[in-house]
PDB file of all heavy atoms in Angstrom:
ATOM      1  N   ILE A1484       5.021  -7.543  11.565  1.00 99.00           N
ATOM      2  CA  ILE A1484       4.385  -6.501  10.749  1.00 99.00           C
ATOM      3  C   ILE A1484       2.935  -6.380  11.206  1.00 99.00           C
ATOM      4  O   ILE A1484       2.153  -7.334  11.108  1.00 99.00           O
ATOM      5  CB  ILE A1484       4.456  -6.843   9.249  1.00 99.00           C
ATOM      6  CG1 ILE A1484       5.922  -7.101   8.847  1.00 99.00           C
ATOM      7  CG2 ILE A1484       3.840  -5.704   8.423  1.00 99.00           C
ATOM      8  CD1 ILE A1484       6.112  -7.593   7.437  1.00 99.00           C
ATOM      9  N   ALA A1485       2.587  -5.218  11.756  1.00 99.00           N
ATOM     10  CA  ALA A1485       1.253  -5.030  12.314  1.00 99.00           C
ATOM     11  C   ALA A1485       0.389  -4.244  11.342  1.00 99.00           C
ATOM     12  O   ALA A1485       0.706  -3.112  10.991  1.00 99.00           O
ATOM     13  CB  ALA A1485       1.352  -4.291  13.642  1.00 99.00           C
ATOM     14  N   ALA A1486      -0.704  -4.862  10.878  1.00 98.00           N
ATOM     15  CA  ALA A1486      -1.635  -4.199   9.954  1.00 98.00           C
ATOM     16  C   ALA A1486      -3.049  -4.592  10.356  1.00 98.00           C
ATOM     17  O   ALA A1486      -3.805  -5.162   9.571  1.00 98.00           O
ATOM     18  CB  ALA A1486      -1.334  -4.602   8.515  1.00 98.00           C
ATOM     19  N   ALA A1487      -3.409  -4.276  11.600  1.00 98.00           N
ATOM     20  CA  ALA A1487      -4.721  -4.673  12.128  1.00 98.00           C
ATOM     21  C   ALA A1487      -5.655  -3.474  12.303  1.00 98.00           C
ATOM     22  O   ALA A1487      -6.866  -3.624  12.343  1.00 98.00           O
ATOM     23  CB  ALA A1487      -4.551  -5.373  13.470  1.00 98.00           C
ATOM     24  N   GLY A1488      -5.080  -2.274  12.402  1.00 98.00           N
ATOM     25  CA  GLY A1488      -5.923  -1.109  12.678  1.00 98.00           C
ATOM     26  C   GLY A1488      -6.417  -1.122  14.119  1.00 98.00           C
ATOM     27  O   GLY A1488      -7.541  -0.702  14.395  1.00 98.00           O
ATOM     28  N   GLN A1489      -5.569  -1.625  15.037  1.00 98.00           N
ATOM     29  CA  GLN A1489      -5.902  -1.669  16.473  1.00 98.00           C
ATOM     30  C   GLN A1489      -4.727  -1.053  17.236  1.00 98.00           C
ATOM     31  O   GLN A1489      -3.661  -1.696  17.340  1.00 98.00           O
ATOM     32  CB  GLN A1489      -6.065  -3.120  16.944  1.00 98.00           C
ATOM     33  CG  GLN A1489      -7.125  -3.914  16.208  1.00 98.00           C
ATOM     34  CD  GLN A1489      -8.526  -3.552  16.662  1.00 98.00           C
ATOM     35  OE1 GLN A1489      -8.743  -3.199  17.822  1.00 98.00           O
ATOM     36  NE2 GLN A1489      -9.470  -3.603  15.752  1.00 98.00           N
ATOM     37  N   ALA A1490      -4.928   0.140  17.754  1.00 98.00           N
ATOM     38  CA  ALA A1490      -3.820   0.825  18.439  1.00 98.00           C
ATOM     39  C   ALA A1490      -3.298  -0.039  19.583  1.00 98.00           C
ATOM     40  O   ALA A1490      -4.077  -0.569  20.378  1.00 98.00           O
ATOM     41  CB  ALA A1490      -4.303   2.170  18.970  1.00 98.00           C
ATOM     42  N   GLY A1491      -1.980  -0.198  19.661  1.00 97.00           N
ATOM     43  CA  GLY A1491      -1.340  -0.879  20.781  1.00 97.00           C
ATOM     44  C   GLY A1491      -1.506  -2.389  20.790  1.00 97.00           C
ATOM     45  O   GLY A1491      -1.212  -3.033  21.796  1.00 97.00           O
ATOM     46  N   ILE A1492      -1.931  -2.985  19.679  1.00 98.00           N
ATOM     47  CA  ILE A1492      -2.126  -4.453  19.672  1.00 98.00           C
ATOM     48  C   ILE A1492      -0.788  -5.187  19.853  1.00 98.00           C
ATOM     49  O   ILE A1492      -0.739  -6.274  20.426  1.00 98.00           O
ATOM     50  CB  ILE A1492      -2.878  -4.911  18.395  1.00 98.00           C
ATOM     51  CG1 ILE A1492      -3.333  -6.354  18.559  1.00 98.00           C
ATOM     52  CG2 ILE A1492      -2.072  -4.759  17.148  1.00 98.00           C
ATOM     53  CD1 ILE A1492      -4.166  -6.859  17.414  1.00 98.00           C
ATOM     54  N   VAL A1493       0.313  -4.565  19.393  1.00 98.00           N
ATOM     55  CA  VAL A1493       1.633  -5.166  19.635  1.00 98.00           C
ATOM     56  C   VAL A1493       2.239  -4.485  20.860  1.00 98.00           C
ATOM     57  O   VAL A1493       2.517  -3.286  20.845  1.00 98.00           O
ATOM     58  CB  VAL A1493       2.556  -5.010  18.406  1.00 98.00           C
ATOM     59  CG1 VAL A1493       3.939  -5.582  18.708  1.00 98.00           C
ATOM     60  CG2 VAL A1493       1.954  -5.696  17.188  1.00 98.00           C
ATOM     61  N   ARG A1494       2.399  -5.274  21.926  1.00 98.00           N
ATOM     62  CA  ARG A1494       2.911  -4.724  23.185  1.00 98.00           C
ATOM     63  C   ARG A1494       4.351  -5.171  23.414  1.00 98.00           C
ATOM     64  O   ARG A1494       4.797  -6.192  22.874  1.00 98.00           O
ATOM     65  CB  ARG A1494       2.026  -5.186  24.356  1.00 98.00           C
ATOM     66  CG  ARG A1494       0.576  -4.729  24.232  1.00 98.00           C
ATOM     67  CD  ARG A1494      -0.212  -5.054  25.502  1.00 98.00           C
ATOM     68  NE  ARG A1494      -0.018  -6.425  25.949  1.00 98.00           N
ATOM     69  CZ  ARG A1494      -0.693  -7.472  25.491  1.00 98.00           C
ATOM     70  NH1 ARG A1494      -1.637  -7.305  24.590  1.00 98.00           N
ATOM     71  NH2 ARG A1494      -0.452  -8.694  25.957  1.00 98.00           N
TER      72      ARG A1494
END
Side-chain angles (χ1 to χ4, degrees):
I1484 305 174
Q1489 302 283 328
I1492 193 176
V1493 177
R1494 299 187 312 276

